[in-house]
Amino acid sequence: MNIEQKLTGIVINAIQNLYSTEVTPVQVQFQKTKKEFEGDITLVVFPFVKAARKSPEQTGQEIGEYLQQHEPIIKAFNVIKGFLNLSISSAHWVECLNGINAQEAFGTTTATETSPLVMIEYSSPNTNKPLHLGHVRNNLLGFSLSEIMKANGYKVVKTNIVNDRGIHICKSMLAWQKFGNGETPESTGLKGDHLVGKYYVVFDQQYKAEIKELIAQGQTEDEAKKNAPLMLEAQDMLRKWEAHDPTVYQLWQTMNNWVYKGFDETYKKLGVNFDCIYYESETYLLGKEKVEEGLANGVLYKREDGSIWADLTADGLDEKLLLRADGTSVYMTQDIGTAKLRFDHYPIDKMIYVVGNEQNYHFQVLSIILDRLGFKWGKDLVHFSYGMVELPEGKMKSREGTVVDADDLVDEMVNTARETSQELGKLDGCTEEEAQNITRMVGLGALKYFILKVDPRKNMTFNPKESIDFNGNTGPFIQYTHARIKSVLRKAGEQGITIPTAIDTTIPLSEKETSLIQHIANFPAVVKQAADEYSPSIVANYVYDLVKEYNQFYHDFSILKEDDEAVKKMRLLLSQNVARVIKTCMSLLGINVPERM
RNA sequence: GGUCGGGUAGCUCAGCUGGAUAGAGCAACAGCCUUCUAAGCUGUGGGUCAUGGGUUCGAAUCCCAUCCUGAUCACCA
């Protein structure tokens, strides 16, 4: 039980005894005391003023007196306007620290046999181009969210649906076939996904040239787009693929395998992974069955032309096509098929789709349809919707090649980290292997933190040249603080100091120390909130505040040079636990922290 | 036009389940390394919290209207 819960009960009693009024825990609001005022924790008195029929100051005074009489850990209080500031005894905070230290996995819960299973879909790339900055946000959010759900005691299955078929895939295949001269990743030295992406751009260029030509010949733009020979060929190729034409199918397999190899490298570089991967080519036909089942149940209806629809007007939405008149499926049908396959494989209690906010409507519809088709988690499926990443020049467009490539970005980050580290002399005395480890951690840490600290819902701008900093509210700053603490702990070890598992409650604490303990004591609530609100940024902002506070403490107080042995050990124990919380927070964000940097 | 987001310092962002004088970082300027890692710490300047109204003891936060901005409203995925 934390201090706020403990005090809430006493406040309820106080109001009951003093003013004979029942209050609910919701009315009892605590906040951390502002630094300008004396105290650790503050009760907002206003909600009780009416019942007291007294001024806020007087009410606060009376409640304060009652609390002090009935709760020994309150050593003093003061009232300013309607705020009752309570000073809590050092002994309580020391006990609190001891309690935290005793917990093996402080702040996190481990899943058990009976824990609910949540499946999280993220990444969802197309196999016609390499991953870019937008995918990076997706991957980082998906991975972090998975870690956060795990920390809250869920069983988590990370999944990826690869969009490996369709007209857009055929475009890069066709362009390669016509203009590729047999190039391969081996012959060009290009990563497979980059090679394929190159031909996706080639297709677009050639296609545009054809359109221009046809318009010059007198066709309208719409006609030209439809009649361009390349487009007709691509459509023909898609038909052949669906008919399993051996040549096309083999080309498809070859090129997709190049891409997968490239993706694997990128995922590895980003430090994300999946427990199971689904391919659209395997699921896109499966939705049909479920749709027909829905038709038989009367949940869906058939039009005269034979197409099948869902009527969502009762939910305030439109009607939605699920099967074309010729029996072929659409995007929604595929998602139904994928859902069915997944549900066959796993006992899913909760499904989270990490997909950009441009698909809000799609998921609103999917949720209703899955629910009607009998998926028990359909209604409550979570579309973890995040905003776009924009460049200073505006939006990124794959076809036009104006994207920030994921591989380039990571490489650039790591290189910058290397340069900065060298300038600061941080790598002196490191082996090359250590140096690589550190710069990789720092470069990636900077990138990941930069992206994850922003509220996922918001669009964000990313300036490749200026966005990444290593000072201030950044990943490296947090990593640095961790490394600093570890350095102190190492030195303590070298001096033969053992850090106790618990310290004496009679040790006096400074304001900064109580504040730090209060801060880390709040960590479990942050972990829970991050899951409730699906927001890694909550963890990021929390750990930043903690680190900022620790650095002030580090600056103002000596640890190893402290004369009083007991105080020294208390500070070591405190530092050790701060480091632990930092490390856990960062791991929830998918960021590693170095022992030294 | 309908629906759903977003609008807070020059820039990037916190704060939004109503609480004290709206916070950080970057950028600018001024300090702090013979003392545990200066990727740090301290200070200065910088705000009509888009606008107008409402609810309230109290509004950046809740409600209404307006403006700006993004997404979406395909027999594309």
Side-chain angles (χ1 to χ4, degrees):
Chain A
M1 186 158 79
N2 68 27
I3 182 152
E4 295 192 9
Q5 290 167 326
K6 195 169 173 180
L7 291 175
T8 298
I10 304 167
V11 170
I12 291 174
N13 289 342
I15 306 301
Q16 169 91 63
N17 283 330
L18 292 170
Y19 313 121
S20 315
T21 308
E22 293 285 344
V23 291
T24 59
V26 188
Q27 291 170 275
V28 183
Q29 303 165 44
F30 285 106
Q31 51 188 277
K32 197 174 182 322
T33 305
K34 301 232 166 199
K35 8 179 214 298
E36 310 86 273
F37 306 110
E38 186 75 23
D40 300 318
I41 189 165
T42 295
L43 175 73
V44 183
V45 178
F46 294 106
F48 315 118
V49 176
K50 218 171 198 169
R53 297 165 172 274
K54 286 174 185 155
S55 72
E57 289 83 353
Q58 210 178 339
T59 313
Q61 188 68 28
E62 287 177 4
I63 298 173
E65 280 164 14
Y66 181 97
L67 292 182
Q68 200 173 17
Q69 271 170 30
H70 292 80
E71 180 47 68
I73 65 168
I74 297 171
K75 68 170 190 234
F77 72 89
N78 64 82
V79 181
I80 294 169
K81 296 194 208 166
F83 298 93
L84 171 59
N85 302 320
L86 302 168
S87 297
I88 309 299
S89 70
S90 284
H92 171 267
W93 294 121
V94 171
E95 234 167 73
C96 182
L97 176 61
N98 288 340
I100 289 166
N101 187 61
Q103 291 179 51
E104 206 163 306
F106 173 62
T108 62
T109 312
T110 311
T112 64
E113 283 292 307
T114 55
S115 299
L117 185 146
V118 48
M119 179 177 270
I120 302 180
E121 173 192 298
Y122 70 100
S123 204
S124 317
N126 291 316
T127 58
N128 60 345
K129 53 179 192 259
L131 304 178
H132 58 67
L133 185 50
H135 297 109
V136 172
R137 191 178 196 191
N138 180 301
N139 285 304
L140 298 181
L141 285 170
F143 185 82
S144 175
L145 187 65
S146 304
E147 294 302 307
I148 289 168
M149 297 310 282
K150 277 188 208 167
N152 278 276
Y154 289 93
K155 282 188 266 190
V156 173
V157 176
K158 288 174 281 186
T159 185
N160 188 355
I161 173 86
V162 180
N163 300 302
D164 62 344
R165 60 160 286 280
I167 190 74
H168 52 301
I169 310 296
C170 290
K171 287 178 183 174
S172 44
M173 284 161 61
L174 185 65
W176 181 86
Q177 201 178 46
K178 292 180 90 79
F179 311 108
N181 299 315
E183 279 187 1
T184 64
E186 292 74 28
S187 77
T188 56
L190 279 175
K191 263 181 89 216
D193 49 339
H194 287 131
L195 179 68
V196 172
K198 178 177 143 187
Y199 285 100
Y200 186 62
V201 174
V202 169
F203 177 93
D204 198 58
Q205 288 164 349
Q206 298 290 331
Y207 175 50
K208 277 191 177 140
E210 287 186 355
I211 293 172
K212 208 171 162 191
E213 176 75 28
L214 290 176
I215 292 175
Q217 288 171 13
Q219 298 198 10
T220 67
E221 197 181 331
D222 282 351
E223 285 169 348
K225 278 184 178 167
K226 270 186 205 154
N227 298 333
L230 269 176
M231 185 53 88
L232 296 176
E233 272 189 82
Q235 283 163 350
D236 186 50
M237 194 177 235
L238 181 60
R239 275 189 292 274
K240 282 182 175 161
W241 180 87
E242 291 193 354
H244 284 236
D245 174 282
T247 318
V248 171
Y249 216 74
Q250 205 187 354
L251 175 64
W252 175 73
Q253 283 180 323
T254 305
M255 290 182 74
N256 272 353
N257 281 331
W258 293 344
V259 173
Y260 295 146
K261 225 175 147 192
F263 281 174
D264 283 347
E265 242 178 82
T266 308
Y267 286 141
K268 207 173 162 199
K269 217 182 256 190
L270 281 173
V272 303
N273 50 53
F274 306 94
D275 301 306
C276 64
I277 297 180
Y278 292 90
Y279 298 90
E280 202 182 284
S281 57
E282 291 168 352
T283 68
Y284 83 109
L285 296 174
L286 297 176
K288 260 174 103 162
E289 203 181 302
K290 212 58 191 157
V291 168
E292 262 146 24
E293 201 181 300
L295 185 65
N297 295 344
V299 177
L300 307 173
Y301 74 94
K302 193 178 241 176
R303 288 192 182 170
E304 277 177 18
D305 65 0
S307 57
I308 300 180
W309 295 71
D311 182 357
L312 306 173
T313 46
D315 294 280
L317 303 173
D318 251 329
E319 298 182 334
K320 186 76 190 174
L321 176 84
L322 295 178
L323 270 186
R324 297 188 186 100
D326 64 5
T328 56
S329 38
V330 294
Y331 181 34
M332 192 63 73
T333 331
Q334 292 174 25
D335 262 350
I336 295 168
T338 310
K340 176 178 160 16
L341 193 61
R342 285 171 172 161
F343 196 62
D344 288 344
H345 291 168
Y346 295 92
I348 300 171
D349 295 298
K350 188 185 191 75
M351 181 76 213
I352 302 178
Y353 295 86
V354 180
V355 180
N357 62 10
E358 76 262 9
Q359 293 196 28
N360 285 355
Y361 183 74
H362 173 79
F363 281 98
Q364 212 180 334
V365 172
L366 181 67
S367 172
I368 296 169
I369 293 179
L370 286 180
D371 179 53
R372 289 198 194 168
L373 292 177
F375 292 90
K376 69 170 183 184
W377 45 267
K379 196 169 189 171
D380 300 314
L381 77 79
V382 176
H383 174 207
F384 179 98
S385 161
Y386 61 91
M388 298 290 104
V389 186
E390 285 161 18
L391 300 176
E393 311 82 63
K395 291 209 275 180
M396 298 188 285
K397 294 204 176 83
S398 288
R399 273 180 297 195
E400 293 167 21
T402 58
V403 292
V404 175
D405 178 74
D407 295 310
D408 295 349
L409 180 60
V410 173
D411 292 345
E412 207 172 300
M413 296 303 308
V414 174
N415 286 338
T416 311
R418 181 104 198 184
E419 282 164 28
T420 311
S421 299
Q422 268 161 356
E423 269 168 40
L424 295 170
K426 298 283 183 186
L427 300 176
D428 300 351
C430 283
T431 64
E432 176 54 26
E433 200 192 340
E434 284 169 336
Q436 264 182 24
N437 261 330
I438 292 169
T439 51
R440 207 185 106 80
M441 267 191 222
V442 172
L444 263 181
L447 174 64
K448 290 184 177 183
Y449 185 85
F450 181 84
I451 288 175
L452 291 175
K453 75 175 176 186
V454 180
D455 183 339
R457 279 174 311 186
K458 291 192 175 176
N459 286 0
M460 61 183 292
T461 44
F462 184 90
N463 185 333
K465 288 198 174 61
E466 291 167 18
S467 285
I468 294 299
D469 216 316
F470 292 79
N471 304 310
N473 188 356
T474 66
F477 169 57
I478 295 161
Q479 291 170 319
Y480 171 73
T481 307
H482 178 266
R484 238 182 176 182
I485 298 175
K486 285 296 180 174
S487 170
V488 174
L489 296 176
R490 267 196 308 274
K491 291 224 156 85
E494 285 162 16
Q495 293 174 20
I497 302 169
T498 51
I499 303 170
T501 53
I503 47 175
D504 202 294
T505 54
T506 56
I507 290 179
L509 298 177
S510 69
E511 227 173 88
K512 207 81 220 168
E513 287 154 348
T514 55
S515 181
L516 272 172
I517 294 171
Q518 213 174 338
H519 211 129
I520 55 178
N522 202 29
F523 178 53
V526 170
V527 174
K528 183 172 183 305
Q529 197 194 353
D532 289 347
E533 296 181 22
Y534 307 110
S535 185
S537 72
I538 290 173
V539 176
N541 288 302
Y542 165 81
V543 72
Y544 172 68
D545 288 338
L546 173 64
V547 159
K548 181 117 187 91
E549 189 148 36
Y550 183 83
N551 275 313
Q552 290 162 1
F553 162 76
Y554 181 91
H555 183 265
D556 294 342
F557 297 85
S558 303
I559 300 170
L560 295 173
K561 293 196 178 64
E562 168 61 40
D563 295 330
D564 187 323
E565 281 301 313
V567 171
K568 186 194 283 185
K569 292 196 171 179
M570 178 272 291
R571 288 184 186 155
L572 282 167
L573 189 73
L574 176 59
S575 299
Q576 180 177 271
N577 280 284
V578 169
R580 197 156 69 112
V581 172
I582 293 172
K583 188 172 185 167
T584 310
C585 282
M586 293 299 259
S587 79
L588 293 180
L589 301 175
I591 301 173
N592 294 317
V593 288
E595 295 291 308
R596 63 184 88 214
M597 67 184 270

